[in-house]
Amino acid sequence: MWTSAFKVLFTNRLLTLFADALLFFALLKEVEQRVSDPTLFVWFYVAYYVPVLFLSLPIGAWMESKQLKRVIRFSNVARAVCLLLIVFLLPVLPLLYVLIFLAVLSVLDLFFLPASQSLLPRIVPEPHRPRANSWFQMAITTVRIIAQVFAGIALCSMYLSPICLS
């Protein structure tokens, strides 16, 4: 089961999920600092989940005819470019552009996650697939929890909240 292709896919997927979770919470903190009305947080979640709602089926159908490794590579390169842009431009971007950036990340997830899941049967023999899937699911849950804790600690130390210091 632990072929080199599976190790690459496994590592790539976990690192991407970790980076996405960190970025999600960093953008959430940015929105929190910029808005005075708590109801505007709704737009943060709308920007993230509406693309999933409307684009998941068309992207899945389109991706079926594509080379999955290229889709994964494109998604990761586009995500890296977006991440670099946001790091340098976040302080000067209007809130609307932050939300658009969040929507773009959501769309890139629609390419990456299904492509990586669809690639799994091609690189793992059938008898090992249940075990490989369980490794993926367990690792995904663990990485998301670790990323949320890490993001919380990083954001807490950045802003030196009195709650963090006590």
Side-chain angles (χ1 to χ4, degrees):
M1 177 182 93
W2 288 98
T3 63
S4 62
F6 179 74
K7 288 177 188 176
V8 168
L9 181 64
F10 188 80
T11 304
N12 190 343
R13 191 164 182 188
L14 295 183
L15 289 174
T16 300
L17 287 170
F18 184 79
D20 283 350
L22 288 178
L23 190 56
F24 182 84
F25 284 104
L27 290 174
L28 184 61
K29 183 65 175 176
E30 183 69 23
V31 170
E32 176 190 12
Q33 288 182 328
R34 290 187 185 198
V35 300
S36 57
D37 183 8
T39 59
L40 290 175
F41 277 111
V42 170
W43 291 108
F44 180 84
Y45 292 100
V46 167
Y48 191 76
Y49 290 111
V50 164
V52 173
L53 179 66
F54 291 111
L55 297 176
S56 58
L57 289 176
I59 288 175
W62 173 84
M63 199 174 1
E64 193 173 313
S65 64
K66 304 298 177 200
Q67 288 187 355
L68 298 175
K69 289 180 184 178
R70 284 187 183 170
V71 171
I72 291 170
R73 198 172 297 124
F74 163 78
S75 172
N76 283 339
V77 168
R79 191 185 324 250
V81 168
C82 288
L83 183 59
L84 289 174
L85 287 174
I86 203 73
V87 164
F88 293 112
L89 299 176
L90 189 60
V92 297
L93 283 178
L95 183 60
L96 176 63
Y97 291 134
V98 172
L99 296 176
I100 290 170
F101 172 72
L102 187 63
V104 168
L105 286 178
S106 176
V107 169
L108 290 173
D109 277 345
L110 287 175
F111 286 99
F112 176 78
L113 292 174
S116 64
Q117 189 65 31
S118 297
L119 190 60
L120 190 65
R122 297 180 187 181
I123 61 173
V124 175
E126 190 171 345
H128 298 290
R129 282 187 204 145
R131 186 170 168 219
N133 274 323
S134 66
W135 269 96
F136 262 125
Q137 296 309 315
M138 180 183 60
I140 287 168
T141 302
T142 303
V143 163
R144 284 188 175 151
I145 291 169
I146 290 169
Q148 290 175 6
V149 169
F150 186 80
I153 291 169
L155 290 171
C156 191
S157 65
M158 278 178 54
Y159 298 101
L160 297 174
S161 164
I163 295 171
C164 297
L165 296 175
S166 57

